[in-house]
Amino acid sequence: MSGTEMLETSSPPIWDLEGRPFRPDRPPRRIVSLVPSLTETLFDLGLGDRVVGRTDYCRHPPEAQSIPSVGGTKNPDLARIQALRPDVVFVNVEENRRSDAIALAAEGIPVAVSFPRSVTEAIALIRWLAGIFELHAPPVLEEIEALYAERCRAVPARRPRVFCPIWRDPWMTFNAETYAHDLLALCGGENVFARRRRRYPLSADLNPALPPRPADRDHRYPRLSTEEIRAAEPEVILLPDEPYPFRPEDTGWVRALFADTPAGRGGRVRWIEGSLLFWHGTRLRHALRILPQALAD
């Protein structure tokens, strides 16, 4: 998503398009969710019967498939959304376009914006949802908070150095300014590109010897050369199935490509479900159980 298309940010957990805390007068009865992770979260909180619209990518839980789709996260059908008469449309800074959010708000539809960049912010978002829907101590939230406390106490003896691509040709990853990085650290991994910022244009990003061009754009997702990845010497390489659709069989050629890294030599190239790393919300309860195992020797 380009810098001009990104929704503006504000303090978590959720706000309106003016950057003010989003506080509905009453619990919404009709919800359109343009954020797959929030669709799952609403169902896990027992609010699935209030969801009247979802995106094509809202695949969790299976029950969500019975809800009418309004299109993709980047190209929703705005007329279809309006026809559903929602009390609120949930959007996310990275998932959705600001122009779509503005168009919906211009029709008088309340728009709620989220952008958690850490595990604590993601948990705060779940608490906020429980609060506006007047849910008292939902079990899924208690489960996540207990798992989070457990992970905070589980200090690893050493953290394996991890490379996790989110794209290839060119390779792309995330740095320390992201939710995925914070979750990776909590689960015991050390992001080898935590301090790597994206540079513009692409030629400068792939070759640090070239001078970058000044750009007021997103720096959180650097593009990498194969040589730079090898030089980082990752001990574990995780291949998520989104946003780039890595497949389990891709572990073989990736291991061969990086055979001279500790991850390649040790056979620690592992395919994972991308939603564990990138979906904030109640998917966190699965991530806090599965990711530490994926990182362990």
Side-chain angles (χ1 to χ4, degrees):
M1 187 183 297
S2 70
T4 56
E5 277 292 293
M6 286 185 66
L7 292 158
E8 279 125 24
T9 66
S10 181
S11 299
I14 205 155
W15 58 93
D16 63 19
L17 290 180
E18 302 301 321
R20 300 169 299 205
F22 184 83
R23 297 191 181 97
D25 296 331
R26 59 183 183 276
R29 297 291 307 176
R30 299 180 60 82
I31 303 167
V32 170
S33 173
L34 301 183
V35 189
S37 58
L38 281 183
T39 302
E40 178 182 41
T41 299
L42 291 166
F43 273 84
D44 285 345
L45 288 171
L47 301 168
D49 60 340
R50 302 190 185 210
V51 179
V52 297
R54 51 138 185 128
T55 74
D56 296 337
Y57 303 101
C58 296
R59 64 181 191 273
H60 297 298
E63 302 92 292
Q65 301 301 308
S66 63
I67 306 297
S69 173
V70 297
T73 55
K74 301 292 193 294
N75 58 344
D77 187 326
L78 302 185
R80 194 180 305 173
I81 294 174
Q82 294 173 34
L84 291 171
R85 297 176 291 105
D87 297 324
V88 64
V89 175
F90 285 118
V91 299
N92 177 268
V93 168
E94 294 189 304
E95 295 277 356
N96 312 114
R97 299 185 302 180
R98 178 173 173 79
S99 57
D100 292 330
I102 291 175
L104 292 169
E107 296 297 324
I109 299 173
V111 176
V113 185
S114 65
F115 187 28
R117 283 159 285 184
S118 68
V119 174
T120 54
E121 289 180 5
I123 294 174
L125 176 55
I126 303 171
R127 287 198 201 104
W128 178 87
L129 285 170
I132 67 162
F133 288 102
E134 301 174 351
L135 304 176
H136 177 67
V140 67
L141 178 55
E142 293 187 328
E143 178 186 0
I144 289 171
E145 290 179 327
L147 286 168
Y148 174 75
E150 179 182 332
R151 288 309 314 164
C152 288
R153 292 191 298 267
V155 180
R158 66 177 301 276
R159 295 177 178 273
R161 293 169 51 78
V162 182
F163 166 55
C164 180
I166 60 173
W167 207 257
R168 57 170 298 214
D169 197 23
W171 294 102
M172 189 182 299
T173 189
F174 49 86
N175 67 21
E177 301 171 51
T178 60
Y179 169 78
H181 167 89
D182 191 58
L183 178 57
L184 194 65
L186 179 63
C187 292
E190 177 188 343
N191 180 4
V192 294
F193 292 109
R195 295 180 179 85
R196 176 68 155 82
R197 303 193 81 210
R198 182 164 176 160
R199 295 154 56 97
Y200 296 90
L202 174 62
S203 57
D205 215 16
L206 297 181
N207 185 358
L210 297 176
R213 184 182 304 154
D216 184 20
R217 301 171 70 180
D218 194 348
H219 294 273
R220 293 171 305 133
Y221 300 104
R223 297 157 297 185
L224 310 163
S225 67
T226 302
E227 293 71 22
E228 186 176 4
I229 298 167
R230 288 177 178 144
E233 296 196 320
E235 297 170 298
V236 176
I237 297 176
L238 298 180
L239 300 180
D241 66 351
E242 62 173 85
Y244 184 86
F246 286 105
R247 301 166 299 173
E249 52 266 35
D250 290 329
T251 57
W253 69 260
V254 172
R255 179 182 178 183
L257 182 64
F258 298 106
D260 55 350
T261 67
R265 290 192 296 269
R268 292 184 294 273
V269 179
R270 295 161 183 166
W271 179 88
I272 62 169
E273 188 176 351
S275 62
L276 296 172
L277 258 180
F278 307 119
W279 287 31
H280 58 270
T282 51
R283 182 129 294 248
L284 187 55
R285 61 176 168 162
H286 305 300
L288 292 176
R289 290 189 174 99
I290 296 173
L291 289 179
Q293 298 174 16
L295 296 174
D297 289 339

